[in-house]
Structures are given as C-alpha cells and as structure tokens.
Amino acid sequence: MQYANELQATIDDMVQTGRGVLAADESTPTIAKRFQAIDVESTVENRRAWRDLLVTTTGLGEYISGIILFEETLGQQTDQGDGIPAAAWQQNIVPGIKVDKGKIPLALSPGDLITQGLDGLADRLRGYKEQGARFAKWREVYAIDHHAPTRHGIEANAEMLARYAAVCQAEGIVPIVEPEVLMDGDHEIDRHAEVTEAVQHAVFDALQRHHVAFEWMILKPNMVLPGKDNRRAEPDEVAEATLRVLRRTVPAAVPSINFLSGGQGPQEATENLNAINQQAPDAPWRLSISYGRALQQTALHAWLGKAENREAAQQALLHRARMNHLAMLGQYSPALEA
Ligand code: 5MM
C-alpha cells in the first residue's frame, strides 16, 4: 500500500496503553442540542470556544491520544492563535476528522438507516490532510425494533463503511470504522448482542472484500447492553456479552477497539470499560475509548458557556479522562471518583 509507513505511524501514535480518543465531532445540529441543555446558543464562536477549551486542557495528552474534530473546527483557532489541529499536537494528541455527512432512511427499507458522504471523499481527505488530519471517522447507525435492522440494511451499511475505509487507507488516512447499534428501545441484552454480532460480521466481511488492511484501522463499536427502556445491567454482564460478540467477530489483526459511549452515563461508561479490561487482560486488541458524551458531559455542565468556568470545566474533563485511563488498565474503582 502506498502510504503504509504513514498509516503505521498514525496507528503507533494513537494506539497506546492507557490512552484513548476524545470524540468532539458533533455536527452542527447535535452540538446545538448539547448546548441547549446548558442554555448556550450554538454560534460559531461558542462552538470554537468549547472545542478550544477541550483541546487546550493541560495534561489531557497523558490520557488522550486522538481527537475527532468536526470540519468547522479543523479550520478554527484557539484563543492563543494556534490552529486547533496544531494545539492538539502540542499535547501529543493526533487530530482527526469526521467525514460522514450524516444518516438518512435507507430507501425502500423501512427501519433501516444509511450514512451519506462517499462522493468526492478522496478529494476531501486530501484537503483535510493538508489541514493536519491524520485519521478519519465514519458512523453507520442501526436502530433496533421488531423488524430492523434488516439483513439487507446490515449489508448496505457494511458496504458503506468498507468503501469509506478503503478510500481512507488509499489516501494515507487511518479510518475509524464506527458501526453503532443504538441502545434506544426496550430490548433485552441478548437482542442487542444478536444484532451487534450480525453487524460486526457483515462489516469485517465487507472490509476484507474491499482490501482494507485490518492493521491500519480502528474499530469503534457499541458495547452490548440492554435497551435504555429495559434495565441497567451490571458491568460484569455488559463486559461478558460485549467480549463474546467481539471475540466472535473482530480479527486479532485489528490493533484497537475504541468504544463509543452511546448514551451511557459518564461513570457507567467508565465502569463498563473497566470490567471489559478486567475480564480480558490478554485480548488481542487494545480495549479503549472514543467517547463523546461520556467524556464531555460533566465538563459541559461545569462550563455553562462562561469564560470564568473554563478551568473548572477543564478539570472535569481531565478527571473523566483519568478515570477512563484507569479503566483501560482495569484499575478503576468508583471510590476514585471522589
Ligand atoms: C460526537 O458525536 C458523533 C456524531 O455526531 P453526529 O450525530 O452529530 O454526526 C458520534 O459519532 C460520536 O463520535 C460517537 O457516537 C461517540 O459519541 P458518544 O457520545 O456515543 O460516546
């Protein structure tokens, strides 16, 4: 592959013991929803100030090795006048970019969704690379109900992820492959496991068909959980179910599995990750994070859009990052939250 050395260097920079990825790539409608919860207007400047706060948190690089940015943020600057990607590098954090253009219903397939954004992707990636991005992310979303996702939907989504990942590797960009089976609904944990297993099988089959090198990608899956309207499972049950599915489906050549938090509470997401690492100390892949909400939520509520709360918000972010660092080592305990 043309960019083998570059791809390996990015993997080496991102996949390290005790470090994970911060997902700060909320699209404009999603960040508006997050800001609305703290009564802050979603302006270009407020979005810049928030992402500046995150990326300039002193010490964040100890626990975070990569940050996923939204296109707008990639071209923005910190208060100090540094480009946001350069500010990430100053903390030894690799900047990356969300490249999908969001989901729409899959035509003629009720209940299935599909993500857009493949047209012109290679050109866009070249531009993002010039702006400093070294990895990309693309998310496919699967909602569970009685009939969905369908076999056809699962295959169509796998095809999109594989085509995206192949274009990334051809351009020297490490792809984060994110198939997210939502936790919305009242399904049991077994149903979530069944769908996640079918999704992962299809994704890896498609990646292989599209000649994607597993060594130079990162998988960003959901954990296996009962539906949000069902019950809350204990961390050991989540870990067992999640590891069973991953062992059945994810090749050992994949260097790292970085979970999304998907609506779990910040502490819940840390507890579950800790149980996963405790149960699988010899797993072939690193078991890490690519959390958005579970890393940002407490910091966002400490910030409230006010400059005078900036330091408190950074402390809240650093604390969550450190708790997850300990969970990656299987050394977390809720007592440490205090
Ligand atoms: C940060 O949110 C990302 C997607 O945002 P849009 O829906 O606005 O495109 C999302 O892909 C995120 O990276 C992952 O779901 C991880 O975030 P959570 O909050 O699930 O850990």
Side-chain angles (χ1 to χ4, degrees), residues 149-194:
T150 66
R151 166 55 48 195
H152 161 66
I154 287 174
E155 279 165 14
N157 278 273
E159 199 64 17
M160 295 299 271
L161 279 170
R163 287 185 61 194
Y164 140 80
V167 176
C168 286
Q169 289 191 344
E171 296 299 328
I173 295 273
V174 165
I176 295 189
V177 172
E178 180 181 7
E180 176 176 9
V181 183
L182 297 176
M183 60 188 283
D184 298 350
D186 62 359
H187 50 266
E188 244 312 327
I189 190 167
D190 290 350
R191 171 86 173 123
H192 204 230
E194 173 190 67

mmCIF file of all heavy atoms in Angstrom, residues 149-194:
data_model
loop_
_atom_site.group_PDB
_atom_site.id
_atom_site.type_symbol
_atom_site.label_atom_id
_atom_site.label_comp_id
_atom_site.label_asym_id
_atom_site.label_seq_id
_atom_site.Cartn_x
_atom_site.Cartn_y
_atom_site.Cartn_z
ATOM 1 N N PRO A 149 -32.605 -3.869 12.557
ATOM 2 C CA PRO A 149 -32.203 -3.689 11.180
ATOM 3 C C PRO A 149 -32.407 -4.964 10.376
ATOM 4 O O PRO A 149 -32.309 -6.058 10.916
ATOM 5 C CB PRO A 149 -30.704 -3.356 11.283
ATOM 6 C CG PRO A 149 -30.246 -4.001 12.553
ATOM 7 C CD PRO A 149 -31.428 -3.965 13.472
ATOM 8 N N THR A 150 -32.698 -4.801 9.077
ATOM 9 C CA THR A 150 -32.895 -5.974 8.224
ATOM 10 C C THR A 150 -31.536 -6.479 7.725
ATOM 11 O O THR A 150 -30.528 -5.757 7.773
ATOM 12 C CB THR A 150 -33.742 -5.613 6.987
ATOM 13 O OG1 THR A 150 -32.986 -4.691 6.180
ATOM 14 C CG2 THR A 150 -35.072 -4.978 7.376
ATOM 15 N N ARG A 151 -31.519 -7.684 7.222
ATOM 16 C CA ARG A 151 -30.293 -8.257 6.640
ATOM 17 C C ARG A 151 -29.770 -7.352 5.522
ATOM 18 O O ARG A 151 -28.589 -7.033 5.436
ATOM 19 C CB ARG A 151 -30.634 -9.672 6.137
ATOM 20 C CG ARG A 151 -29.673 -10.367 5.225
ATOM 21 C CD ARG A 151 -28.245 -10.508 5.717
ATOM 22 N NE ARG A 151 -28.086 -11.014 7.075
ATOM 23 C CZ ARG A 151 -26.943 -10.928 7.774
ATOM 24 N NH1 ARG A 151 -25.876 -10.374 7.249
ATOM 25 N NH2 ARG A 151 -26.873 -11.399 9.000
ATOM 26 N N HIS A 152 -30.722 -6.881 4.703
ATOM 27 C CA HIS A 152 -30.361 -6.002 3.601
ATOM 28 C C HIS A 152 -29.746 -4.695 4.132
ATOM 29 O O HIS A 152 -28.738 -4.197 3.611
ATOM 30 C CB HIS A 152 -31.629 -5.746 2.778
ATOM 31 C CG HIS A 152 -31.575 -4.548 1.904
ATOM 32 N ND1 HIS A 152 -30.718 -4.458 0.827
ATOM 33 C CD2 HIS A 152 -32.262 -3.366 1.940
ATOM 34 C CE1 HIS A 152 -30.888 -3.281 0.248
ATOM 35 N NE2 HIS A 152 -31.804 -2.609 0.899
ATOM 36 N N GLY A 153 -30.335 -4.140 5.192
ATOM 37 C CA GLY A 153 -29.818 -2.900 5.790
ATOM 38 C C GLY A 153 -28.415 -3.106 6.347
ATOM 39 O O GLY A 153 -27.520 -2.269 6.168
ATOM 40 N N ILE A 154 -28.220 -4.211 7.019
ATOM 41 C CA ILE A 154 -26.906 -4.508 7.612
ATOM 42 C C ILE A 154 -25.844 -4.605 6.513
ATOM 43 O O ILE A 154 -24.735 -4.080 6.646
ATOM 44 C CB ILE A 154 -26.993 -5.818 8.440
ATOM 45 C CG1 ILE A 154 -27.775 -5.551 9.741
ATOM 46 C CG2 ILE A 154 -25.612 -6.386 8.738
ATOM 47 C CD1 ILE A 154 -28.066 -6.779 10.573
ATOM 48 N N GLU A 155 -26.209 -5.228 5.409
ATOM 49 C CA GLU A 155 -25.224 -5.382 4.324
ATOM 50 C C GLU A 155 -24.935 -4.044 3.630
ATOM 51 O O GLU A 155 -23.786 -3.743 3.306
ATOM 52 C CB GLU A 155 -25.699 -6.439 3.322
ATOM 53 C CG GLU A 155 -25.368 -7.825 3.854
ATOM 54 C CD GLU A 155 -26.076 -8.961 3.148
ATOM 55 O OE1 GLU A 155 -26.646 -8.744 2.066
ATOM 56 O OE2 GLU A 155 -26.047 -10.077 3.715
ATOM 57 N N ALA A 156 -25.989 -3.243 3.427
ATOM 58 C CA ALA A 156 -25.783 -1.939 2.774
ATOM 59 C C ALA A 156 -24.878 -1.047 3.627
ATOM 60 O O ALA A 156 -23.980 -0.369 3.123
ATOM 61 C CB ALA A 156 -27.128 -1.260 2.534
ATOM 62 N N ASN A 157 -25.097 -1.076 4.938
ATOM 63 C CA ASN A 157 -24.269 -0.263 5.837
ATOM 64 C C ASN A 157 -22.823 -0.746 5.866
ATOM 65 O O ASN A 157 -21.883 0.056 5.908
ATOM 66 C CB ASN A 157 -24.851 -0.293 7.258
ATOM 67 C CG ASN A 157 -25.986 0.689 7.426
ATOM 68 O OD1 ASN A 157 -25.764 1.850 7.736
ATOM 69 N ND2 ASN A 157 -27.208 0.245 7.216
ATOM 70 N N ALA A 158 -22.637 -2.053 5.853
ATOM 71 C CA ALA A 158 -21.276 -2.615 5.877
ATOM 72 C C ALA A 158 -20.516 -2.181 4.624
ATOM 73 O O ALA A 158 -19.330 -1.824 4.680
ATOM 74 C CB ALA A 158 -21.344 -4.137 5.952
ATOM 75 N N GLU A 159 -21.228 -2.173 3.513
ATOM 76 C CA GLU A 159 -20.619 -1.775 2.241
ATOM 77 C C GLU A 159 -20.132 -0.314 2.318
ATOM 78 O O GLU A 159 -19.040 0.012 1.849
ATOM 79 C CB GLU A 159 -21.684 -1.952 1.146
ATOM 80 C CG GLU A 159 -21.185 -2.032 -0.250
ATOM 81 C CD GLU A 159 -20.298 -3.247 -0.561
ATOM 82 O OE1 GLU A 159 -20.297 -4.239 0.203
ATOM 83 O OE2 GLU A 159 -19.584 -3.170 -1.573
ATOM 84 N N MET A 160 -20.950 0.553 2.906
ATOM 85 C CA MET A 160 -20.563 1.969 3.029
ATOM 86 C C MET A 160 -19.313 2.107 3.883
ATOM 87 O O MET A 160 -18.376 2.828 3.526
ATOM 88 C CB MET A 160 -21.684 2.789 3.684
ATOM 89 C CG MET A 160 -22.942 2.890 2.893
ATOM 90 S SD MET A 160 -22.676 3.680 1.301
ATOM 91 C CE MET A 160 -22.916 5.378 1.729
ATOM 92 N N LEU A 161 -19.296 1.424 5.034
ATOM 93 C CA LEU A 161 -18.140 1.531 5.933
ATOM 94 C C LEU A 161 -16.874 1.036 5.233
ATOM 95 O O LEU A 161 -15.798 1.619 5.378
ATOM 96 C CB LEU A 161 -18.381 0.716 7.211
ATOM 97 C CG LEU A 161 -19.249 1.392 8.278
ATOM 98 C CD1 LEU A 161 -19.611 0.398 9.380
ATOM 99 C CD2 LEU A 161 -18.537 2.603 8.894
ATOM 100 N N ALA A 162 -17.009 -0.056 4.474
ATOM 101 C CA ALA A 162 -15.833 -0.632 3.819
ATOM 102 C C ALA A 162 -15.334 0.280 2.693
ATOM 103 O O ALA A 162 -14.126 0.469 2.525
ATOM 104 C CB ALA A 162 -16.170 -2.016 3.274
ATOM 105 N N ARG A 163 -16.259 0.867 1.955
ATOM 106 C CA ARG A 163 -15.830 1.756 0.863
ATOM 107 C C ARG A 163 -15.147 2.994 1.432
ATOM 108 O O ARG A 163 -14.128 3.456 0.920
ATOM 109 C CB ARG A 163 -17.041 2.140 -0.008
ATOM 110 C CG ARG A 163 -17.493 0.977 -0.871
ATOM 111 C CD ARG A 163 -18.597 1.366 -1.806
ATOM 112 N NE ARG A 163 -18.211 2.420 -2.733
ATOM 113 C CZ ARG A 163 -19.072 3.116 -3.472
ATOM 114 N NH1 ARG A 163 -20.367 2.856 -3.405
ATOM 115 N NH2 ARG A 163 -18.657 4.062 -4.296
ATOM 116 N N TYR A 164 -15.701 3.531 2.507
ATOM 117 C CA TYR A 164 -15.071 4.679 3.186
ATOM 118 C C TYR A 164 -13.664 4.320 3.667
ATOM 119 O O TYR A 164 -12.691 5.043 3.440
ATOM 120 C CB TYR A 164 -15.971 5.127 4.350
ATOM 121 C CG TYR A 164 -15.236 5.513 5.613
ATOM 122 C CD1 TYR A 164 -14.635 6.772 5.736
ATOM 123 C CD2 TYR A 164 -15.124 4.627 6.694
ATOM 124 C CE1 TYR A 164 -13.952 7.126 6.897
ATOM 125 C CE2 TYR A 164 -14.449 4.971 7.844
ATOM 126 C CZ TYR A 164 -13.858 6.216 7.946
ATOM 127 O OH TYR A 164 -13.170 6.557 9.080
ATOM 128 N N ALA A 165 -13.549 3.159 4.334
ATOM 129 C CA ALA A 165 -12.260 2.768 4.926
ATOM 130 C C ALA A 165 -11.210 2.556 3.835
ATOM 131 O O ALA A 165 -10.041 2.926 3.998
ATOM 132 C CB ALA A 165 -12.432 1.508 5.776
ATOM 133 N N ALA A 166 -11.629 1.980 2.714
ATOM 134 C CA ALA A 166 -10.678 1.745 1.625
ATOM 135 C C ALA A 166 -10.167 3.077 1.063
ATOM 136 O O ALA A 166 -8.961 3.249 0.831
ATOM 137 C CB ALA A 166 -11.350 0.921 0.522
ATOM 138 N N VAL A 167 -11.067 4.040 0.876
ATOM 139 C CA VAL A 167 -10.636 5.354 0.354
ATOM 140 C C VAL A 167 -9.660 5.994 1.341
ATOM 141 O O VAL A 167 -8.630 6.554 0.954
ATOM 142 C CB VAL A 167 -11.854 6.281 0.096
ATOM 143 C CG1 VAL A 167 -11.399 7.670 -0.347
ATOM 144 C CG2 VAL A 167 -12.772 5.684 -0.964
ATOM 145 N N CYS A 168 -9.948 5.907 2.636
ATOM 146 C CA CYS A 168 -9.049 6.488 3.649
ATOM 147 C C CYS A 168 -7.660 5.885 3.547
ATOM 148 O O CYS A 168 -6.660 6.614 3.466
ATOM 149 C CB CYS A 168 -9.583 6.226 5.061
ATOM 150 S SG CYS A 168 -10.991 7.235 5.498
ATOM 151 N N GLN A 169 -7.579 4.566 3.540
ATOM 152 C CA GLN A 169 -6.246 3.937 3.517
ATOM 153 C C GLN A 169 -5.508 4.272 2.219
ATOM 154 O O GLN A 169 -4.294 4.488 2.227
ATOM 155 C CB GLN A 169 -6.366 2.426 3.717
ATOM 156 C CG GLN A 169 -6.758 2.071 5.153
ATOM 157 C CD GLN A 169 -6.641 0.591 5.478
ATOM 158 O OE1 GLN A 169 -6.549 -0.246 4.584
ATOM 159 N NE2 GLN A 169 -6.658 0.263 6.762
ATOM 160 N N ALA A 170 -6.245 4.361 1.122
ATOM 161 C CA ALA A 170 -5.601 4.717 -0.149
ATOM 162 C C ALA A 170 -5.019 6.131 -0.097
ATOM 163 O O ALA A 170 -4.098 6.466 -0.832
ATOM 164 C CB ALA A 170 -6.599 4.598 -1.295
ATOM 165 N N GLU A 171 -5.560 6.985 0.788
ATOM 166 C CA GLU A 171 -5.073 8.370 0.924
ATOM 167 C C GLU A 171 -4.128 8.542 2.115
ATOM 168 O O GLU A 171 -3.759 9.670 2.463
ATOM 169 C CB GLU A 171 -6.268 9.331 1.073
ATOM 170 C CG GLU A 171 -7.176 9.393 -0.139
ATOM 171 C CD GLU A 171 -6.456 9.885 -1.402
ATOM 172 O OE1 GLU A 171 -5.528 10.705 -1.289
ATOM 173 O OE2 GLU A 171 -6.819 9.425 -2.500
ATOM 174 N N GLY A 172 -3.786 7.456 2.791
ATOM 175 C CA GLY A 172 -2.859 7.551 3.926
ATOM 176 C C GLY A 172 -3.504 8.051 5.202
ATOM 177 O O GLY A 172 -2.842 8.611 6.088
ATOM 178 N N ILE A 173 -4.809 7.874 5.309
ATOM 179 C CA ILE A 173 -5.562 8.317 6.495
ATOM 180 C C ILE A 173 -6.084 7.065 7.209
ATOM 181 O O ILE A 173 -6.718 6.207 6.569
ATOM 182 C CB ILE A 173 -6.769 9.197 6.047
ATOM 183 C CG1 ILE A 173 -6.291 10.495 5.383
ATOM 184 C CG2 ILE A 173 -7.761 9.435 7.157
ATOM 185 C CD1 ILE A 173 -6.014 11.638 6.309
ATOM 186 N N VAL A 174 -5.845 6.963 8.505
ATOM 187 C CA VAL A 174 -6.340 5.794 9.251
ATOM 188 C C VAL A 174 -7.854 5.922 9.440
ATOM 189 O O VAL A 174 -8.330 6.950 9.951
ATOM 190 C CB VAL A 174 -5.644 5.682 10.623
ATOM 191 C CG1 VAL A 174 -6.384 4.728 11.554
ATOM 192 C CG2 VAL A 174 -4.199 5.224 10.444
ATOM 193 N N PRO A 175 -8.639 4.924 9.022
ATOM 194 C CA PRO A 175 -10.088 5.014 9.222
ATOM 195 C C PRO A 175 -10.522 4.487 10.589
ATOM 196 O O PRO A 175 -10.131 3.389 10.994
ATOM 197 C CB PRO A 175 -10.650 4.101 8.116
ATOM 198 C CG PRO A 175 -9.565 3.105 7.850
ATOM 199 C CD PRO A 175 -8.246 3.725 8.237
ATOM 200 N N ILE A 176 -11.321 5.268 11.289
ATOM 201 C CA ILE A 176 -12.061 4.726 12.430
ATOM 202 C C ILE A 176 -13.392 4.269 11.857
ATOM 203 O O ILE A 176 -14.111 5.054 11.218
ATOM 204 C CB ILE A 176 -12.284 5.766 13.551
ATOM 205 C CG1 ILE A 176 -10.938 6.173 14.170
ATOM 206 C CG2 ILE A 176 -13.214 5.203 14.619
ATOM 207 C CD1 ILE A 176 -11.065 7.021 15.433
ATOM 208 N N VAL A 177 -13.704 2.998 12.045
ATOM 209 C CA VAL A 177 -14.911 2.390 11.491
ATOM 210 C C VAL A 177 -15.922 2.264 12.626
ATOM 211 O O VAL A 177 -15.681 1.557 13.603
ATOM 212 C CB VAL A 177 -14.547 1.006 10.903
ATOM 213 C CG1 VAL A 177 -15.784 0.240 10.489
ATOM 214 C CG2 VAL A 177 -13.594 1.177 9.713
ATOM 215 N N GLU A 178 -17.032 3.008 12.510
ATOM 216 C CA GLU A 178 -17.984 3.069 13.633
ATOM 217 C C GLU A 178 -19.363 2.536 13.249
ATOM 218 O O GLU A 178 -20.189 3.268 12.703
ATOM 219 C CB GLU A 178 -18.121 4.520 14.143
ATOM 220 C CG GLU A 178 -19.105 4.629 15.316
ATOM 221 C CD GLU A 178 -19.294 6.048 15.853
ATOM 222 O OE1 GLU A 178 -18.766 6.991 15.251
ATOM 223 O OE2 GLU A 178 -19.987 6.194 16.868
ATOM 224 N N PRO A 179 -19.629 1.271 13.515
ATOM 225 C CA PRO A 179 -20.998 0.773 13.356
ATOM 226 C C PRO A 179 -21.682 0.841 14.724
ATOM 227 O O PRO A 179 -21.303 0.115 15.647
ATOM 228 C CB PRO A 179 -20.791 -0.685 12.914
ATOM 229 C CG PRO A 179 -19.397 -1.047 13.362
ATOM 230 C CD PRO A 179 -18.695 0.179 13.857
ATOM 231 N N GLU A 180 -22.668 1.715 14.875
ATOM 232 C CA GLU A 180 -23.308 1.889 16.195
ATOM 233 C C GLU A 180 -24.702 1.285 16.229
ATOM 234 O O GLU A 180 -25.635 1.815 15.601
ATOM 235 C CB GLU A 180 -23.397 3.376 16.582
ATOM 236 C CG GLU A 180 -24.149 3.544 17.920
ATOM 237 C CD GLU A 180 -24.229 4.955 18.469
ATOM 238 O OE1 GLU A 180 -23.843 5.903 17.757
ATOM 239 O OE2 GLU A 180 -24.700 5.102 19.618
ATOM 240 N N VAL A 181 -24.848 0.206 16.960
ATOM 241 C CA VAL A 181 -26.183 -0.342 17.223
ATOM 242 C C VAL A 181 -26.720 0.422 18.433
ATOM 243 O O VAL A 181 -26.165 0.333 19.532
ATOM 244 C CB VAL A 181 -26.126 -1.862 17.502
ATOM 245 C CG1 VAL A 181 -27.533 -2.398 17.705
ATOM 246 C CG2 VAL A 181 -25.411 -2.601 16.365
ATOM 247 N N LEU A 182 -27.772 1.187 18.205
ATOM 248 C CA LEU A 182 -28.279 2.080 19.252
ATOM 249 C C LEU A 182 -28.808 1.299 20.449
ATOM 250 O O LEU A 182 -29.289 0.172 20.317
ATOM 251 C CB LEU A 182 -29.402 2.958 18.695
ATOM 252 C CG LEU A 182 -29.013 3.918 17.566
ATOM 253 C CD1 LEU A 182 -30.253 4.655 17.051
ATOM 254 C CD2 LEU A 182 -27.956 4.921 18.026
ATOM 255 N N MET A 183 -28.757 1.938 21.619
ATOM 256 C CA MET A 183 -29.340 1.305 22.808
ATOM 257 C C MET A 183 -30.785 1.776 23.044
ATOM 258 O O MET A 183 -31.397 1.406 24.048
ATOM 259 C CB MET A 183 -28.453 1.508 24.040
ATOM 260 C CG MET A 183 -28.215 2.944 24.430
ATOM 261 S SD MET A 183 -26.970 3.136 25.756
ATOM 262 C CE MET A 183 -27.895 2.677 27.206
ATOM 263 N N ASP A 184 -31.329 2.585 22.136
ATOM 264 C CA ASP A 184 -32.720 3.041 22.272
ATOM 265 C C ASP A 184 -33.675 1.858 22.172
ATOM 266 O O ASP A 184 -33.505 0.998 21.301
ATOM 267 C CB ASP A 184 -33.078 4.030 21.153
ATOM 268 C CG ASP A 184 -32.234 5.281 21.209
ATOM 269 O OD1 ASP A 184 -31.519 5.460 22.207
ATOM 270 O OD2 ASP A 184 -32.260 6.062 20.244
ATOM 271 N N GLY A 185 -34.687 1.821 23.047
ATOM 272 C CA GLY A 185 -35.686 0.753 22.970
ATOM 273 C C GLY A 185 -35.746 -0.043 24.259
ATOM 274 O O GLY A 185 -35.044 0.264 25.235
ATOM 275 N N ASP A 186 -36.590 -1.068 24.245
ATOM 276 C CA ASP A 186 -36.762 -1.855 25.477
ATOM 277 C C ASP A 186 -36.290 -3.304 25.291
ATOM 278 O O ASP A 186 -36.668 -4.188 26.040
ATOM 279 C CB ASP A 186 -38.234 -1.823 25.934
ATOM 280 C CG ASP A 186 -39.153 -2.443 24.901
ATOM 281 O OD1 ASP A 186 -38.651 -2.876 23.830
ATOM 282 O OD2 ASP A 186 -40.378 -2.501 25.152
ATOM 283 N N HIS A 187 -35.448 -3.524 24.282
ATOM 284 C CA HIS A 187 -34.971 -4.879 24.003
ATOM 285 C C HIS A 187 -34.087 -5.414 25.132
ATOM 286 O O HIS A 187 -33.484 -4.650 25.898
ATOM 287 C CB HIS A 187 -34.183 -4.892 22.684
ATOM 288 C CG HIS A 187 -33.138 -3.817 22.608
ATOM 289 N ND1 HIS A 187 -33.365 -2.588 22.037
ATOM 290 C CD2 HIS A 187 -31.874 -3.789 23.064
ATOM 291 C CE1 HIS A 187 -32.282 -1.847 22.143
ATOM 292 N NE2 HIS A 187 -31.364 -2.552 22.775
ATOM 293 N N GLU A 188 -33.984 -6.729 25.200
ATOM 294 C CA GLU A 188 -33.104 -7.383 26.169
ATOM 295 C C GLU A 188 -31.662 -7.335 25.637
ATOM 296 O O GLU A 188 -31.430 -7.119 24.447
ATOM 297 C CB GLU A 188 -33.554 -8.833 26.403
ATOM 298 C CG GLU A 188 -34.023 -9.133 27.832
ATOM 299 C CD GLU A 188 -33.059 -8.628 28.938
ATOM 300 O OE1 GLU A 188 -31.838 -8.625 28.725
ATOM 301 O OE2 GLU A 188 -33.554 -8.237 30.009
ATOM 302 N N ILE A 189 -30.735 -7.627 26.516
ATOM 303 C CA ILE A 189 -29.310 -7.590 26.143
ATOM 304 C C ILE A 189 -28.999 -8.630 25.048
ATOM 305 O O ILE A 189 -28.163 -8.402 24.184
ATOM 306 C CB ILE A 189 -28.411 -7.766 27.403
ATOM 307 C CG1 ILE A 189 -26.935 -7.479 27.059
ATOM 308 C CG2 ILE A 189 -28.577 -9.152 28.023
ATOM 309 C CD1 ILE A 189 -26.039 -7.316 28.281
ATOM 310 N N ASP A 190 -29.733 -9.764 25.065
ATOM 311 C CA ASP A 190 -29.465 -10.799 24.052
ATOM 312 C C ASP A 190 -29.774 -10.309 22.638
ATOM 313 O O ASP A 190 -29.115 -10.673 21.681
ATOM 314 C CB ASP A 190 -30.316 -12.056 24.328
ATOM 315 C CG ASP A 190 -29.843 -12.762 25.565
ATOM 316 O OD1 ASP A 190 -28.765 -12.383 26.079
ATOM 317 O OD2 ASP A 190 -30.547 -13.669 26.039
ATOM 318 N N ARG A 191 -30.822 -9.511 22.536
ATOM 319 C CA ARG A 191 -31.191 -8.969 21.220
ATOM 320 C C ARG A 191 -30.108 -7.983 20.733
ATOM 321 O O ARG A 191 -29.727 -7.981 19.568
ATOM 322 C CB ARG A 191 -32.557 -8.286 21.328
ATOM 323 C CG ARG A 191 -32.980 -7.504 20.106
ATOM 324 C CD ARG A 191 -33.668 -8.358 19.060
ATOM 325 N NE ARG A 191 -34.209 -7.545 17.985
ATOM 326 C CZ ARG A 191 -33.895 -7.689 16.694
ATOM 327 N NH1 ARG A 191 -33.097 -8.663 16.303
ATOM 328 N NH2 ARG A 191 -34.422 -6.903 15.783
ATOM 329 N N HIS A 192 -29.606 -7.162 21.644
ATOM 330 C CA HIS A 192 -28.539 -6.218 21.296
ATOM 331 C C HIS A 192 -27.287 -6.988 20.858
ATOM 332 O O HIS A 192 -26.599 -6.601 19.903
ATOM 333 C CB HIS A 192 -28.225 -5.319 22.499
ATOM 334 C CG HIS A 192 -27.598 -3.999 22.147
ATOM 335 N ND1 HIS A 192 -26.469 -3.523 22.748
ATOM 336 C CD2 HIS A 192 -27.953 -3.050 21.245
ATOM 337 C CE1 HIS A 192 -26.148 -2.343 22.230
ATOM 338 N NE2 HIS A 192 -27.033 -2.026 21.327
ATOM 339 N N ALA A 193 -27.023 -8.101 21.543
ATOM 340 C CA ALA A 193 -25.860 -8.934 21.207
ATOM 341 C C ALA A 193 -26.036 -9.550 19.817
ATOM 342 O O ALA A 193 -25.111 -9.534 18.993
ATOM 343 C CB ALA A 193 -25.684 -10.033 22.250
ATOM 344 N N GLU A 194 -27.246 -10.075 19.569
ATOM 345 C CA GLU A 194 -27.517 -10.734 18.283
ATOM 346 C C GLU A 194 -27.318 -9.750 17.117
ATOM 347 O O GLU A 194 -26.674 -10.070 16.115
ATOM 348 C CB GLU A 194 -28.961 -11.238 18.330
ATOM 349 C CG GLU A 194 -29.531 -11.806 17.068
ATOM 350 C CD GLU A 194 -31.042 -12.039 17.230
ATOM 351 O OE1 GLU A 194 -31.799 -11.050 17.362
ATOM 352 O OE2 GLU A 194 -31.444 -13.204 17.249
#
